[in-house]
Amino acid sequence: MSEELIRLEDLVKVYDTGALKVLGLKRVNLTIRRGEFVAIMGQSGSGKSTLMNILGCLDRPSLGHYYLDGTDVSGMTPDELSFIRNKKIGFVFQSFNLLSRMSALRNVELPMTYARIPRKARTEKAMELLKRVGLGKRMDHQPNELSGGQRQRVAIARALANDPPLLLADEPTGNLDTAASLEIMELFSQLHQEGTTVVLVTHEEEIAAFTERIIRFRDGEVISDTPNVPHMPEVYRKLERNTDFEEGAEHAG
């Protein structure tokens, strides 16, 4: 069995609003192994976003421990957490978070710039990553010249720039139509098959269906943690069938 990448021990997050204290997470214990493809699900206020912020080292737990790749990051300083984020975690956001005045290539190079990788090496790596996500012919395009699905592909390439052991995706298809969502989930599935650990937050059952494990939160607690046989939901199968029909008709014409 593969080694663990994430281990949470009695993790608690308390938000102090002044008037009252709110429990965001209640003694969460969780292990995610290297190479897993996991969906974290829950309604608004369930704690899934709080968990994602802690997993991404954007926030720290109030109590308990978070071990990432064998290191307890729970009590690290902001500077130490920033270093961990750059080296260990790749982020994919719902809103893409690309810099609008930079080309796709320069956007992908950015994390490597912060990691002080030499210019030639980071440009070659960025080109390789953009080809890997199917954007080899769009490298010089700025975000406003790309579709939503293409922008998310750039964001995924950027997330992979420093070869992080963990890829975190927060509602990665939230701003995409059905066709683009299918493309992005097939790309995540491909990355998972190549060995990348992918943890994504979603409220959509159709998106979680692509993963191999579904963890559900409610009121700051894990209420279920079940294996899943990755499959393509009917809404996407229907889309594929329609696409195949249109392509067939086009060739017949």
Side-chain angles (χ1 to χ4, degrees):
M1 185 174 284
S2 58
E3 62 182 297
E4 64 185 25
L5 178 62
I6 289 170
R7 177 157 49 96
L8 309 180
E9 293 182 351
D10 291 331
L11 205 74
V12 174
K13 181 62 183 179
V14 180
Y15 292 103
D16 191 345
T17 62
L20 73 164
K21 288 182 170 61
V22 178
L23 264 178
L25 294 174
K26 307 172 185 176
R27 294 202 174 277
V28 173
N29 290 281
L30 194 60
T31 299
I32 295 174
R33 297 194 170 274
R34 196 178 296 275
E36 280 197 276
F37 190 7
V38 181
I40 296 173
M41 300 195 72
Q43 298 300 316
S44 178
S46 64
K48 68 181 190 300
S49 295
T50 299
L51 178 72
M52 196 64 147
N53 285 338
I54 290 175
L55 292 181
C57 294
L58 297 167
D59 199 359
R60 288 182 291 186
S62 304
L63 294 168
H65 297 277
Y66 169 26
Y67 295 91
L68 173 61
D69 206 15
T71 301
D72 188 352
V73 300
S74 314
M76 285 187 170
T77 66
D79 284 348
E80 289 170 332
L81 288 176
S82 178
F83 179 80
I84 291 289
R85 285 195 301 272
N86 187 253
K87 292 291 187 182
K88 300 281 189 181
I89 305 166
F91 293 94
V92 180
F93 300 97
Q94 177 178 344
S95 55
F96 319 129
N97 286 17
L98 300 177
L99 295 180
S100 60
R101 295 182 181 275
M102 284 189 174
S103 66
L105 187 69
R106 297 294 175 235
N107 267 284
V108 176
E109 281 187 42
L110 206 55
M112 294 182 277
T113 304
Y114 295 143
R116 299 184 178 180
I117 292 171
R119 178 70 178 267
K120 185 172 184 290
R122 68 177 186 250
T123 299
E124 288 175 356
K125 180 71 176 289
M127 291 173 68
E128 172 193 320
L129 286 168
L130 284 168
K131 288 175 185 174
R132 186 176 174 189
V133 300
L135 290 177
K137 296 181 179 178
R138 296 284 189 274
M139 294 185 188
D140 295 327
H141 287 58
Q142 292 186 341
N144 65 355
E145 300 171 316
L146 301 171
S147 68
Q150 288 171 335
R151 275 179 268 175
Q152 195 60 293
R153 284 172 178 269
V154 175
I156 292 171
R158 180 186 58 189
L160 296 169
N162 288 330
D163 298 311
L166 176 62
L167 190 60
L168 290 179
D170 191 1
E171 299 281 3
T173 60
N175 284 341
L176 304 178
D177 62 21
T178 306
S181 295
L182 174 58
E183 289 178 1
I184 293 304
M185 291 314 299
E186 287 183 328
L187 178 54
F188 278 128
S189 296
Q190 177 189 328
L191 292 171
H192 159 61
Q193 288 162 12
E194 293 170 359
T196 303
T197 307
V198 183
V199 178
L200 66 86
V201 163
T202 182
H203 65 276
E204 298 180 66
E205 297 289 345
E206 292 86 357
I207 296 301
F210 285 86
T211 71
E212 62 181 11
R213 179 181 172 193
I214 301 175
I215 301 170
R216 298 179 191 273
F217 272 75
R218 182 186 297 153
D219 298 329
E221 298 177 294
V222 175
I223 58 168
S224 68
D225 184 349
T226 55
N228 179 60
V229 177
H231 62 282
M232 186 183 296
E234 180 58 28
V235 62
Y236 295 115
R237 289 188 183 281
K238 183 178 179 182
L239 180 71
E240 276 203 332
R241 287 197 295 269
N242 289 343
T243 302
D244 290 343
F245 174 77
E246 287 166 9
E247 287 176 353
E250 188 176 301
H251 290 315

